[in-house]
Amino acid sequence: MLNNHMAGNNCAPVTPRTRLERLLRNRELRKINRILNSNDDFGEGTVDAELEAENIGLLHEETLLEGVDGSEWPEGPPKQRLLVVANRLPVSAVRRGEDSWQLEISVGGLVSALLGVKEFDARWIGWAGVNVPDEIGQRALTKALAEKRCIPVFLDEDIVHQYYNGYCNNILWPLFHYLGLPQEDRLATTRSFQSQFDAYKKANQMFADVVNEHYEEGDVVWCHDYHLMFLPKCLKEHNNNMKVGWFLHTPFPSSEIHRMLPSRSELLRSVLAADLVGFHTYDYARHFVSACTRILGLEGTPEGVEDQGKLTRVAAFPIGIDSERFIRALELPQVQEHMKELKERFAGRKVMLGVDRLDMIKGIPQKILAFEEFLEQNPEWRDKVVLLQIAVPTRTDVPEYQKLTSQVHEIVGRINGRFGTLTAVPIHHLDRSLDFHALCALYAVTDVALVTSLRDGMNLVSYEFVACQAFKKGVLILSEFAGAAQSLGAGALLVNPWNISEVAASIGYALNMPADEREKRHNHNFRHVTTHTSQEWAATFVSELNDTIVEAQLRTRQVLPLLPVQVAIERYLESNNRLLILGFNATLTEPVDALGRRGGQIRELEPRLHPELKEPFKKLCADKKTTIVVLSGSDRTILDENFGEYNMWLAAENGMFLRLTTGEWMTTMPENLNMDWVDSVKHVFEYFTERTPRSHFELRETSLVWNYKYADVDFGRIQARDMLQHLWTGPISNAAVDVVQGGRSVEVRAVGVTKGAAIDRILGEIVHNQGMKAPIDYVLCVGHFLTKDEDIYTFFEPELPAELPTIARSRSPDHFVSPVPKIPCSKTRSKAHLRKQRSLPTLENSSFVNAAWRPIVRERISMHEGSSVLDLKGENYFSCAVSRKRSNARYLLATPDDVVTLLKDLADSSSL
């Protein structure tokens, strides 16, 4: 098989066309590399039996010393560098002298996962766990860690206290595990939310500074866990081209829980700065997307979270273990000896096992109480079963953990006193960790493993148990609240750990399970554990991150270029008759309040003009060479309230009503416009307004708009889908109407009512009213228009040459040529002098006039025959979409604030 792959390399490679094809190709390449590197083994090695748990789980990763030493890395071609950034380094430092350090090994699932990934040149960045205030000590420690491919971040004691003990362990960790925020007495020990959050941001910036110092172009930066949620933003602000991924090793809570956090929005936006965000399970990923949607008001997609065209990919990457290491360990003599001792010790009794950190979320008291209920209900099992509970101490200085330890000891003592004998007790409880070999032996002789976490990110104990059960084929009882339930749930007995009776019944079922069922369940889980290894998890994440960058680059090519402001101003000053067409809502409106509140609070039902635009408008309107048209879907009264003091043209309801601010409103509606559908649609809108709290609808003369921007986001979308289905199959099925969907609105309007259709008539009226003699030679069109109304952008595009009859009028910047910078050009459109020309007879004889449009002005001002209304070169036309990365416009203005800046610059230049 390998030879076939190698032989195929002589053929011309097929370029993957889609993201899935690229990922499949990378997967095959990883398999080939794994085969090629199969002889490069790190070996088994040993670890000091005295080591205890420190980070993610239990301390039994004896291979850490091997592989982190640079001398052990296999030689070969240059590999992509991987900067792994975690709160703690995989080594702990102990100072032996002024310039001497001893490095002790800390381990966890993350360390094990990355050791087996040989495709990357990995380096670790993190805190060494000690305060090193002097430069001599810092230099010596940096040098010692460099030999292990580790780079230290030096944090002082106050930062550690408030960042790590405070914000991370006192706020984020409990909240993410559904334990809620700390009460005042707990909060006081680490000061306040704000001081802790400030320390958290400061610490994250210190991590970012170290990353930036060691970063080389092309590196992948992989940030880990809730300690570093602010890090992606810090990194991207320094270098937006950096490849940044972030992975959470705990659960991510429901948006209802996350919204309790005072800094909720800032943390979410900081994580969204990453290119790829990973979680253990789909549930956690779904909760994160929901939080971004409900709290930030962003768009959740099947691929992730989209914010103004920028997509952050969100996906589930279940972590695994190095299963081969556990399987091979069972053959070691020392493990075989341990197994023999255990079998002799517990001969004639079924062995049940629990391996947990002594933590509130691990459900140890619930597990023991369930075992007690099982013994009560099944007295025949009292001398035939034993529960071995390994409880690894953690955070022994915290009162809550001390209280939990006492509680567990009390329950164990009571049960042993109740059901024990002089020669045997039902529960063996150990307040310490086991070395790797002893733990493997214990897994191998166990009949039933009990993992009853109240809430757990993944819990790899269940994976380790399955990997060591090749001969015994024991039963796994697994909490449905552990992340592993998503992976191993099919072969395990899933339980609700809070339901003591259910867990007790499951224990009885597991102990009496037929051999054939045990084997089927074990085989199912064993396939998963041996396939979804920790190495595969790490390689998959980095591969997806690399591909996410490729996908982002492809998306960027479709995104509009930013408006070349200086060029637009220069063309403006050089022109003789300028036309500015401006949208209103989300273009000229004032920004959201400084606090950025969401949650459906009504700030203004009606849009208001940005206060900083008043002076620029006065200057622009005073310029006789400049004509301004505000073209909006809003009602006439709203435009009157906001623009009545300026000398400009107002076009309301998508151009169906028009007036110069010094004149009266005129209608441009067709006389035969059929509005019989209004009543039936109005009844539908009233019904859905009643059903959808905080929604409202507007009845206009040419359209109806149902708006749910203040309603619950998800519920509003569901209601909108229901409404659309009802409209299309009922009231408007045979009506001459268009249904236009906005971001959080549904609009029904008569067919042909668009801004692009109205602009021709508006333009003619402006020319007649003002008696223009010089043609319009400059057009700036700016707006956050609905897709239906983007025909206004293409209205002014230069006409295609006659020799290209098969190509429709240009719909995107790719279809025309202009000497203005950043405009993409097509080889078939090399005539930069193309112009858009409209004469007065063209306007008077247009299809809009012939379609029985009502006359607006009874008497026309006579103009010289053939006088041009438009004489517009391509380089003098600037169409700009606001906040919409994909559009028929030529350019992009990212925010309404950019519109304000542009109009200020135009006004200042014009007045000069």
Side-chain angles (χ1 to χ4, degrees):
M1 188 70 173
L2 179 59
N3 292 335
N4 291 339
H5 278 292
M6 301 300 288
N9 290 339
N10 296 326
C11 303
V14 178
T15 303
R17 291 169 297 178
T18 66
R19 174 175 170 267
L20 182 58
E21 287 179 358
R22 291 194 300 272
L23 293 175
L24 288 173
R25 184 187 66 173
N26 290 339
R27 182 171 177 267
E28 290 301 315
L29 290 175
R30 288 203 304 273
K31 286 184 178 180
I32 295 172
N33 289 334
R34 202 172 298 125
I35 295 172
L36 293 174
N37 293 327
S38 60
N39 294 327
D40 300 327
D41 205 320
F42 285 160
E44 282 303 322
T46 57
V47 71
D48 187 346
E50 296 295 321
L51 290 176
E52 292 189 348
E54 179 140 6
N55 274 346
I56 300 172
L58 305 171
L59 225 72
H60 47 252
E61 304 285 349
E62 85 286 3
T63 58
L64 184 62
L65 279 173
E66 310 160 60
V68 292
D69 190 332
S71 62
E72 294 295 325
W73 287 83
E75 296 182 1
K79 302 174 182 177
Q80 183 176 27
R81 292 207 330 162
L82 176 63
L83 301 183
V84 180
V85 192
N87 175 62
R88 286 296 301 271
L89 290 171
V91 293
S92 295
V94 179
R95 195 162 192 170
R96 296 303 184 192
E98 187 179 23
D99 59 352
S100 174
W101 290 87
Q102 178 183 334
L103 301 182
E104 297 181 356
I105 306 307
S106 309
V107 295
L110 178 60
V111 180
S112 174
L114 295 175
L115 279 177
V117 181
K118 301 180 181 180
E119 296 100 296
F120 306 101
D121 178 9
R123 283 164 173 76
W124 288 74
I125 296 176
W127 177 49
V130 290
N131 179 30
V132 190
D134 59 299
E135 291 187 11
I136 296 176
Q138 291 184 5
R139 284 197 301 268
L141 180 56
T142 301
K143 183 178 179 181
L145 289 172
E147 297 177 3
K148 304 298 181 186
R149 292 178 175 255
C150 295
I151 302 167
V153 178
F154 295 105
L155 305 175
D156 60 51
E157 289 184 358
D158 185 62
I159 286 287
V160 170
H161 181 60
Q162 291 220 69
Y163 146 71
Y164 182 68
N165 297 327
Y167 200 77
C168 292
N169 289 340
N170 201 33
I171 295 178
L172 289 182
W173 190 90
L175 191 75
F176 282 14
H177 288 85
Y178 291 80
L179 298 179
L181 292 175
Q183 299 303 315
E184 187 175 352
D185 56 337
R186 280 178 57 201
L187 188 62
T189 61
T190 47
R191 303 185 190 172
S192 68
F193 279 119
Q194 190 56 50
S195 64
Q196 290 177 21
F197 187 55
D198 291 342
Y200 181 84
K201 290 194 291 185
K202 182 178 179 181
N204 275 244
Q205 185 60 57
M206 294 170 73
F207 277 87
D209 292 341
V210 176
V211 173
N212 294 332
E213 181 182 346
H214 292 86
Y215 174 81
E216 297 177 5
E217 188 174 356
D219 288 356
V220 170
V221 183
W222 192 0
C223 313
H224 288 272
D225 230 355
Y226 58 94
H227 311 89
L228 301 175
M229 294 181 73
F230 214 75
L231 184 57
K233 178 183 178 182
C234 297
L235 295 174
K236 285 290 190 175
E237 285 178 347
H238 178 79
N239 182 355
N240 192 47
N241 295 323
M242 191 181 292
K243 298 178 183 179
V244 178
W246 182 80
F247 190 88
L248 182 66
H249 292 270
T250 69
F252 191 90
S254 160
S255 59
E256 285 300 300
I257 298 294
H258 185 77
R259 72 194 300 181
M260 296 165 57
L261 194 64
S263 50
R264 58 194 186 182
S265 299
E266 200 168 355
L267 279 180
L268 288 175
R269 290 197 179 277
S270 300
V271 171
L272 287 175
D275 300 294
L276 176 63
V277 176
F279 299 91
H280 281 310
T281 72
Y282 171 72
D283 280 349
Y284 306 157
R286 178 171 56 86
H287 288 161
F288 177 79
V289 173
S290 176
C292 293
T293 301
R294 290 174 170 272
I295 296 172
L296 300 180
L298 301 180
E299 194 72 23
T301 72
E303 294 182 323
V305 179
E306 189 166 359
D307 182 10
Q308 304 298 333
K310 192 262 184 186
L311 176 70
T312 299
R313 191 175 298 283
V314 179
F317 301 90
I319 196 173
I321 62 171
D322 186 357
S323 55
E324 283 297 318
R325 199 172 132 249
F326 284 86
I327 295 171
R328 291 196 305 266
L330 297 179
E331 305 298 327
L332 297 176
Q334 56 266 52
V335 176
Q336 292 285 335
E337 184 64 27
H338 278 301
M339 291 171 62
K340 181 181 177 182
E341 293 174 3
L342 290 169
K343 288 177 181 178
E344 292 174 354
R345 176 71 179 82
F346 300 111
R349 305 173 78 181
K350 293 283 189 178
V351 178
M352 299 179 60
L353 176 65
V355 182
D356 306 278
R357 280 186 295 112
L358 192 55
D359 203 311
M360 277 86 71
I361 66 164
K362 295 299 182 179
I364 296 177
Q366 288 82 356
K367 178 192 306 183
I368 299 173
L369 290 173
F371 183 62
E372 179 184 27
E373 183 168 326
F374 167 75
L375 295 178
E376 286 177 350
Q377 297 176 356
N378 300 274
E380 70 276 9
W381 276 102
R382 292 177 184 174
D383 296 327
K384 299 177 182 178
V385 65
V386 59
L387 172 62
L388 307 181
Q389 177 62 54
I390 312 300
V392 181
T394 178
R395 303 184 69 186
T396 54
D397 58 333
V398 178
E400 286 89 344
Y401 287 77
Q402 295 169 353
K403 182 179 178 181
L404 176 65
T405 302
S406 300
Q407 181 186 18
V408 171
H409 288 172
E410 179 184 340
I411 298 173
V412 170
R414 177 170 55 79
I415 296 174
N416 282 341
R418 181 181 177 190
F419 297 108
T421 64
L422 292 175
T423 57
V425 292
I427 301 178
H428 289 249
H429 181 86
L430 278 74
D431 279 330
R432 65 180 183 86
S433 62
L434 297 181
D435 68 81
F436 176 70
H437 298 130
L439 191 62
C440 287
L442 192 53
Y443 282 141
V445 301
T446 296
D447 296 280
V448 178
L450 269 170
V451 178
T452 57
S453 305
L454 306 180
R455 190 73 61 174
D456 224 343
M458 178 54 73
N459 193 300
L460 297 180
V461 167
S462 53
Y463 279 66
E464 295 168 358
F465 168 74
V466 170
C468 294
Q469 282 287 311
F471 301 106
K472 196 86 172 182
K473 294 180 173 55
V475 181
L476 173 64
I477 297 177
L478 181 59
S479 166
E480 64 185 65
F481 299 113
Q486 303 289 323
S487 307
L488 305 180
L493 296 178
L494 289 184
V495 295
N496 177 356
W498 295 99
N499 189 335
I500 303 299
S501 298
E502 179 186 344
V503 178
S506 296
I507 292 174
Y509 184 74
L511 290 172
N512 293 293
M513 186 179 291
D516 59 337
E517 183 180 350
R518 286 206 319 268
E519 184 170 0
K520 286 179 182 178
R521 287 176 177 270
H522 168 75
N523 289 341
H524 182 89
N525 283 344
F526 189 77
R527 279 194 299 271
H528 181 89
V529 169
T530 53
T531 303
H532 297 79
T533 64
S534 55
Q535 295 82 11
E536 185 64 24
W537 164 77
T540 300
F541 185 93
V542 179
S543 175
E544 288 253 11
L545 176 55
N546 280 319
D547 190 77
T548 297
I549 303 300
V550 173
E551 191 75 10
Q553 291 170 347
L554 294 175
R555 289 170 61 90
T556 302
R557 294 175 188 172
Q558 304 169 10
V559 173
L560 301 175
L562 293 174
L563 173 70
V565 175
Q566 199 55 42
V567 175
I569 294 175
E570 290 174 1
R571 301 290 187 198
Y572 176 87
L573 295 175
E574 294 170 0
S575 58
N576 295 312
N577 193 359
R578 310 138 182 167
L579 176 65
L580 307 186
I581 302 173
L582 307 173
F584 179 40
N585 206 350
T587 303
L588 304 177
T589 48
E590 59 185 343
V592 177
D593 61 303
L595 291 176
R597 295 193 191 97
R598 287 207 52 78
Q601 299 181 55
I602 295 178
R603 290 176 292 275
E604 286 288 348
L605 276 176
E606 297 179 355
R608 297 294 178 191
L609 178 66
H610 197 296
E612 295 183 25
L613 283 175
K614 293 183 177 181
E615 288 303 317
F617 270 145
K618 289 179 181 178
K619 294 179 182 178
L620 290 171
C621 292
D623 188 343
K624 295 183 178 180
K625 292 183 178 181
T626 302
T627 302
I628 299 178
V629 179
V630 175
L631 181 53
S632 172
S634 298
D635 187 78
R636 286 173 284 176
T637 56
I638 294 176
L639 296 188
D640 283 337
E641 289 173 6
N642 286 279
F643 300 98
E645 61 183 289
Y646 308 108
N647 182 24
M648 60 173 63
W649 288 86
L650 304 178
E653 294 199 29
N654 302 303
M656 294 299 99
F657 296 93
L658 178 69
R659 86 171 178 109
L660 187 63
T661 48
T662 55
E664 298 296 325
W665 282 102
M666 304 168 286
T667 180
T668 63
M669 285 191 295
E671 290 183 351
N672 61 349
L673 192 65
N674 187 341
M675 300 293 288
D676 295 341
W677 49 269
V678 170
D679 287 340
S680 58
V681 173
K682 178 184 175 185
H683 291 318
V684 174
F685 277 19
E686 287 175 343
Y687 171 72
F688 278 93
T689 300
E690 293 172 1
R691 283 182 55 186
T692 312
R694 295 188 295 189
S695 68
H696 64 280
F697 80 94
E698 301 173 49
L699 177 60
R700 300 171 180 169
E701 294 194 41
T702 57
S703 65
L704 284 88
V705 181
W706 182 68
N707 196 306
Y708 59 94
K709 65 180 177 178
Y710 299 119
D712 179 272
V713 177
D714 292 334
F715 184 60
R717 285 174 182 158
I718 293 171
Q719 293 291 78
R721 284 198 299 267
D722 195 6
M723 172 191 285
L724 290 169
Q725 185 176 5
H726 181 73
L727 288 173
W728 284 326
T729 57
I732 65 171
S733 56
N734 296 316
V737 297
D738 287 326
V739 179
V740 185
Q741 297 183 58
R744 304 252 174 105
S745 65
V746 176
E747 180 178 1
V748 179
R749 61 171 79 157
V751 168
V753 177
T754 69
K755 293 179 172 65
I759 194 63
D760 207 350
R761 184 69 176 173
I762 293 170
L763 189 60
E765 183 55 39
I766 290 173
V767 171
H768 284 298
N769 183 280
Q770 297 184 195
M772 287 185 182
K773 301 300 181 182
I776 296 172
D777 57 355
Y778 178 95
V779 174
L780 172 67
C781 183
V782 180
H784 181 77
F785 300 127
L786 297 174
T787 305
K788 184 76 175 177
D789 294 316
E790 287 204 339
D791 54 354
I792 189 173
Y793 294 136
T794 56
F795 176 86
F796 293 99
E797 291 290 0
E799 297 287 359
L800 293 173
E803 64 267 24
L804 297 173
T806 59
I807 304 178
R809 187 194 300 201
S810 62
R811 295 179 60 83
S812 74
D814 292 330
H815 292 159
F816 61 86
V817 172
S818 171
V820 178
K822 295 188 178 180
I823 300 181
C825 61
S826 169
K827 294 181 180 178
T828 59
R829 303 292 313 272
S830 58
K831 300 183 178 180
H833 63 277
L834 292 180
R835 302 178 180 217
K836 170 76 77 175
Q837 293 185 334
R838 295 284 177 90
S839 64
L840 180 60
T842 302
L843 287 170
E844 291 179 338
N845 295 319
S846 69
S847 59
F848 304 109
V849 176
N850 293 333
W853 288 79
R854 297 176 187 174
I856 301 176
V857 181
R858 294 183 179 276
E859 296 182 1
R860 301 288 188 188
I861 300 175
S862 60
M863 295 181 67
H864 187 271
E865 183 67 19
S867 175
S868 292
V869 173
L870 285 175
D871 187 15
L872 186 62
K873 296 180 180 179
E875 60 265 31
N876 276 8
Y877 176 47
F878 298 88
S879 56
C880 305
V882 180
S883 306
R884 193 186 297 277
K885 298 293 181 73
R886 291 179 179 82
S887 168
N888 287 336
R890 293 186 174 192
Y891 301 108
L892 169 70
L893 285 170
T895 66
D897 288 337
D898 294 331
V899 180
V900 172
T901 302
L902 171 64
L903 294 177
K904 281 182 177 180
D905 292 344
L906 283 178
D908 293 340
S909 301
S910 179
S911 60
L912 290 176

